[in-house]
Amino acid sequence: MNKTVLYLLLIAFSNLWSNNPKLDQLFNATKNQDFPAAYNLALNIEDESMENHLITLIDLMSSKRTNSKSLYAFEKTNNESLNFIKYLIEGYSNSYALKQDNLQAFKSFSNAIKLADKIGDKVFVKAALIGILDLFASEIFIGSKQYLPYLERFIAIKSDVTDEILSIRYGLIFLSKGDDNLNDIDIQYYSYNDKLDSIFGTLPNSNNLFPLFYLEKGIYYKIEENFEKAEDFLLKADSTSVTLKYNDAFRNKIAWQLAHVNLLNDHLVEAKRFLEISKRDSIKLKDDFYNDRLASAIFQKEGNYDSAYHYLRKSVDIEYELGYKNNTLESSILTVQNQTDKLKLDKLELETSNAKIRNWTIFLGMLLVLGTVIGVLVNKNAIRKQLLAEQEKTLGQQKVSNILKEQELATIDAMIEGQEKERQRVANELHDDLGGLMAAVKLQFNSLEASDKQGNKETFAKTETLIDEAYGKIRAIAHAKNSGLIAKQGLLPAVKQMAEKVSVASGIGILVHDHGLDTRLENSMELTLFRIVQELMTNVIKHAEATEMNIHITNHGDTLNILAEDNGKGMPLDKTANYGNGMGLKSIDKRIHYLHGSMNIESEIGKGTVIILDIPI
């Protein structure tokens, strides 16, 4: 109730700078996921038609489902604000239909943006941009950057903390969907997460956007392979979404993510349980695609290959029915753009032809009027004009020919780009299938050990020892994935406590020495530096075969120096020269580059490795 009163009070003040104060407040409420407040604002609209359309729009945005089997029919009126709302309803209706028509939704939201620009209301523009960005975010895979102009414009006109949160969240979604290999996600993905942490650290727990924050944190820790933290944040997202009365579609998304996290963590019973929850209220074909593909992966890991194949076959059938292979939103947009360019060329040719006819008509008329008066002069003038007309004709034909050639080259480039994307997708699917095959080999090995009671027990014992050793190292590395103290106590206490935990877990003596680090740094920089030190420890545990590690953190006033040395096996000089090829060092190098710092590595076989980092502060 207090939120509703606050929105109604803001209406009075907004009259000073907006032509549509009530509608602006309503769209700000929907942007903040406060749909009850938006509904109350709609009821205060005096125009009955406007009120009914706003209620329809709010129902679509809050439920993310359409209750009608027939799509919304757009009828234009003389009221531009009402037409804008109708474009949004048309866009969301096509986006949330049982079988989505994303291309039609894209056209509707594009029309809404154009009309908002004509009206001159930035809140309207943002509302339309949110619709089109949500549409791109719903794609299964984003192979190009068709979304980028819309995201850049949204960032350019952002005006409050909610706009900042939404722009960061869209960035996270597009970065995570832009590459199937999550290990290669750009350093900007980590920067966005750090910004979200800083923003939500200042917001009250009652803020309506916390479920979205917890969902993104769960996905982040899933990518980081910290599955316990991922599950904790996803469960928080679910509980807060219930409290804040989020829609069932959002909770289904959380349930699917929980199922996927438990699959990755080998908790197959829990994975099946959460998958059943996701299936329970799924009504769209795209939801069935995700659920069937995940069910196939679960049964494959369980060793039930008949069921795995059954669900994989179902997901492939849905994939072709939805046209994801050849009819994605971005390819549809590209097709429309090519068709539009072809129409422009046809129009240009027609205009050129009409211009020629018009010129000839004028020329002949002048000959008839002036022929008897100037005789020979007109004849010479006619010859000169004829030559000029032929030159214009030749130039026009050359111009059209050049445009057609450029269009042909653009089409070929688009075709090659699409083929490369398809090759990449096929390669990734082969990689995933091979991974599943290796998991099956492991199951067969365990089965062989259990059945071969008279086999080579020594070989089985050695193999089991190696597997246990690998598991122990993975467990030690997992202990390093903790940055809980950094927000409260700062970088140095967090690093020292992490060093103690890693020392106990890995058996490596890790000492942290600080020099002049008496004051706190900026929060996002401390988080980034903590993850850098964390990655340095992880690399020593995984690769160095060291017994000791020393970390020196020195504050020189305008720069911070981090020196990490170990007594491990070292690495060849040619590898240190190409340290970017290792995933751990590559991650460190990206973070250092983001902070405008530098990294140097000194190493000698049998004598350990020294890594020196200099970061401006």
Side-chain angles (χ1 to χ4, degrees), residues 300-347:
Q300 181 184 10
K301 203 164 195 178
E302 196 178 51
N304 189 343
Y305 299 108
D306 289 340
S307 296
Y309 176 79
H310 169 73
Y311 284 103
L312 179 62
R313 182 71 262 174
K314 284 183 65 179
S315 70
V316 170
D317 290 341
I318 295 174
E319 185 177 10
Y320 276 97
E321 182 177 354
L322 293 173
Y324 280 137
K325 292 187 179 294
N326 299 309
N327 194 28
T328 61
L329 175 58
E330 59 189 16
S331 64
S332 298
I333 294 172
L334 184 60
T335 299
V336 171
Q337 290 173 342
N338 288 338
Q339 291 173 348
T340 303
D341 290 342
K342 179 63 168 61
L343 290 174
K344 289 180 180 178
L345 287 173
D346 292 341
K347 183 178 179 182

Side-chain angles (χ1 to χ4, degrees), residues 130-169:
I130 288 172
I132 210 164
L133 288 169
D134 283 342
L135 183 65
F136 277 111
S138 69
E139 289 285 90
I140 290 179
F141 178 75
I142 299 175
S144 69
K145 294 189 177 181
Q146 298 268 11
Y147 66 88
L148 191 56
Y150 305 99
L151 180 57
E152 288 176 343
R153 185 171 185 194
F154 185 83
I155 293 172
I157 63 174
K158 65 184 179 182
S159 58
D160 57 29
V161 67
T162 301
D163 293 343
E164 182 70 17
I165 291 171
L166 291 178
S167 65
I168 294 173
R169 182 169 181 263

Side-chain angles (χ1 to χ4, degrees), residues 325-378:
K325 292 187 179 294
N326 299 309
N327 194 28
T328 61
L329 175 58
E330 59 189 16
S331 64
S332 298
I333 294 172
L334 184 60
T335 299
V336 171
Q337 290 173 342
N338 288 338
Q339 291 173 348
T340 303
D341 290 342
K342 179 63 168 61
L343 290 174
K344 289 180 180 178
L345 287 173
D346 292 341
K347 183 178 179 182
L348 178 60
E349 291 178 346
L350 180 60
E351 288 175 351
T352 302
S353 176
N354 290 337
K356 293 174 186 176
I357 295 172
R358 185 167 57 253
N359 290 338
W360 277 105
T361 301
I362 294 172
F363 175 68
L364 292 174
M366 291 177 63
L367 283 178
L368 291 173
V369 173
L370 301 175
T372 58
V373 178
I374 56 177
V376 176
L377 180 61
V378 170

